[in-house]
Amino acid sequence: MKLLCAADLHLGRQPSRVPGHLEDLADRLTPAESWRRLVALAKAEGVTAVLLAGDVVEDEHDFFEAFADLRSGAEELAAAGIALVAVAGNHDVGVLPRLAQAVPSVRVLGAGGHWEALPLGSGGTRVNVVGWSWPAKQVTASPLDGLAEALAALVPAPTLGLLHCDLDRSRSAYAPVSRAALSAAQVDAWLLGHVHKPSFEVGAGDRWCGYLGSAFGADPGEEGPRGAWLLTVGDAGLAVAPVPLSPLLFDTVSIDVSSLAAADEVSAAVVAALEAHGRALADLGDVRPLAVGVRLRVVGRHDMRAAIATHLEQEDPRELDLTAGGARYFVHDVSFEVYPRIDVAAVAASEGPRALMARRLLLLGGPACDERTALIDGAREAMLEAARHSDYGGLEPPDLSDDAVVAALRRAAARLLSQMTETRP
């Protein structure tokens, strides 16, 4: 049995940072296009059901904005014998149940904050889907009350949990729940919505758990492929594969200018980097993005850094309109991280603040040791504390893996070392 699972579609939401010269694509660079692609994929794969983990609609007042697209897709699925099952999240707590009344083939599970189970069967394979929908715009208590009773009444079969929640944040108004509590429940896979960054993966006891991520990349804060997850239930258990569907992709592309012979070569280097990025997308076929928004990082060390910076001001990459890999590319931000050539080892052998910074830069690029681990752990804690600040509550959680923390530290150390070198007496 195959199931197609997605979350945070946000029908009615408008993307940001898309330039005016892509106006001809405006009608397709929307969550509705992700929904149309999802429906087409469900039919092509012959799935038994489409499962949506909340925030199907962007806003309580987007009934008419979402109605036509939701109805059209739901009717296509119903005609193909595919069930459409959803739970309401904090964005569509009121509007999704009203849409379900207007579109009878949409099944909303767990209305009013009560756990509800739905058995699904195909070709002799059965699964149970349990879901819980938001009863109000804010939920400060764990939504797991009543789950045990709902599970106890089920016929034994693989069980999937459909939930829109705030994972591992105890003081939250967005249905806080702990990963430990989810693991303790007799559920084989927790399909979560709310956080737009995908983190769905196999955990303890070979059980899947995590955020499905947003089905549509709406702004530069939602980098990387966005779409759905194809879940296959068989004798060997669960098999899961991500499927990119978003017509709009945001990503970061870096170019190293250290080897450029002249400052004006940077423009060709930008084009070459974006074309290489486009070639990597070509394998996606019909589900490749229609447009790609790029955060361009110009990095490296060069004696002509000022000339390169001036050239980028004169030939601003943000004016580029390039087609590569079947997608229209645009640059929404440029980060200039080119610094003077510095003999880091020689500076590290000296004395003073510059030497300390150089030693840390060498330490980060070296082998594992206690001092390097302590530096990474301390930075990770500081980054996590910053991410928890209320000002950043709406952003995706940062990548705090060792590689990501080291990369952030090395960028900061290189920048500070260069500034110290340029301003020293």
Side-chain angles (χ1 to χ4, degrees):
M1 178 193 298
K2 292 181 180 180
L3 303 164
L4 193 57
C5 314
D8 294 280
L9 187 59
H10 290 277
L11 290 171
R13 185 178 184 185
Q14 296 299 311
S16 65
R17 307 299 293 275
V18 177
H21 63 257
L22 295 186
E23 185 177 357
D24 56 315
L25 289 177
D27 290 343
R28 299 185 66 190
L29 299 182
T30 63
E33 179 68 18
S34 283
W35 172 236
R36 287 189 285 269
R37 290 179 169 201
L38 188 151
V39 170
L41 177 64
K43 293 165 60 180
E45 290 287 343
V47 304
T48 300
V50 169
L51 308 180
L52 303 177
D55 282 2
V56 178
V57 182
E58 165 68 2
D59 187 81
E60 286 297 287
H61 303 295
D62 284 338
F63 181 95
F64 293 116
E65 183 78 22
F67 175 74
D69 292 313
L70 185 64
R71 181 177 66 175
S72 175
E75 289 176 347
E76 274 194 64
L77 293 173
I82 300 171
L84 176 56
V85 183
V87 294
N90 55 298
H91 275 257
D92 54 11
V93 57
V95 70
L96 186 61
R98 290 194 292 122
L99 282 166
Q101 289 179 346
V103 185
S105 56
V106 179
R107 173 71 181 272
V108 176
L109 276 187
H114 301 287
W115 284 97
E116 184 180 2
L118 175 68
L120 296 172
S122 176
T125 302
R126 297 184 63 83
V127 298
N128 297 314
V129 181
V130 292
W132 180 94
S133 288
W134 281 51
K137 290 185 178 181
Q138 290 193 344
V139 177
T140 57
S142 170
L144 297 187
D145 289 347
L147 173 61
E149 291 80 357
L151 293 174
L154 296 177
V155 174
T159 300
L160 312 176
L162 205 55
L163 181 63
H164 199 86
C165 64
D166 209 351
L167 191 59
D168 287 335
R169 295 186 66 175
S170 57
R171 287 180 290 184
S172 169
Y174 299 101
V177 64
S178 70
R179 190 178 298 270
L182 294 180
S183 298
Q186 296 302 306
V187 172
D188 297 281
W190 280 106
L191 315 171
L192 305 181
H194 184 55
V195 171
H196 288 190
K197 184 176 183 178
S199 62
F200 191 54
E201 60 186 8
V202 67
D206 292 331
R207 293 180 179 178
W208 288 82
C209 179
Y211 289 109
L212 301 174
S214 54
F216 174 73
D219 59 59
E222 300 184 9
E223 283 197 352
R226 304 289 160 139
W229 297 74
L230 188 62
L231 191 153
T232 305
V233 184
D235 294 337
L238 303 181
V240 179
V243 186
L245 293 174
S246 178
L248 179 59
L249 171 71
F250 287 97
D251 210 350
T252 294
V253 174
S254 299
I255 61 167
D256 192 329
V257 300
S258 301
S259 61
L260 296 187
D264 61 2
E265 293 180 2
V266 67
S267 295
V270 170
V271 171
L274 298 186
E275 288 180 336
H277 190 278
R279 286 193 294 273
L281 295 178
D283 293 340
L284 294 176
D286 292 340
V287 295
R288 66 175 178 258
L290 301 174
V292 180
V294 170
R295 177 180 283 108
L296 184 68
R297 292 183 61 234
V298 183
V299 304
R301 293 189 175 278
H302 209 294
D303 294 333
M304 295 186 295
R305 63 184 297 269
I308 294 172
T310 298
H311 186 80
L312 286 172
E313 292 175 358
Q314 295 170 343
E315 296 185 3
D316 192 341
R318 285 167 290 199
E319 298 175 358
L320 176 144
D321 183 1
L322 171 74
T323 298
R328 296 273 291 280
Y329 274 72
F330 64 94
V331 175
H332 59 80
D333 278 311
V334 179
S335 173
F336 190 73
E337 303 171 33
V338 181
Y339 306 114
R341 299 187 190 276
I342 298 173
D343 187 337
V344 179
V347 174
S350 64
E351 298 294 334
R354 290 175 66 242
L356 177 61
M357 189 61 63
R359 289 173 202 144
R360 291 193 170 181
L361 192 52
L362 293 174
L363 181 67
L364 290 167
C369 64
D370 290 345
E371 187 178 0
R372 184 177 186 273
T373 299
L375 187 60
I376 295 170
D377 289 345
R380 180 184 290 109
E381 186 59 37
M383 292 167 71
L384 182 59
E385 183 178 352
R388 287 171 175 160
H389 194 280
S390 58
D391 289 347
Y392 309 120
L395 300 180
E396 292 188 349
D399 183 355
L400 296 178
S401 64
D402 281 2
D403 288 346
V405 174
V406 167
L409 285 175
R410 293 187 70 176
R411 287 196 299 270
R415 181 173 64 252
L416 289 172
L417 182 59
S418 297
Q419 290 173 347
M420 289 177 179
T421 300
E422 290 179 327
T423 58
R424 65 177 176 156

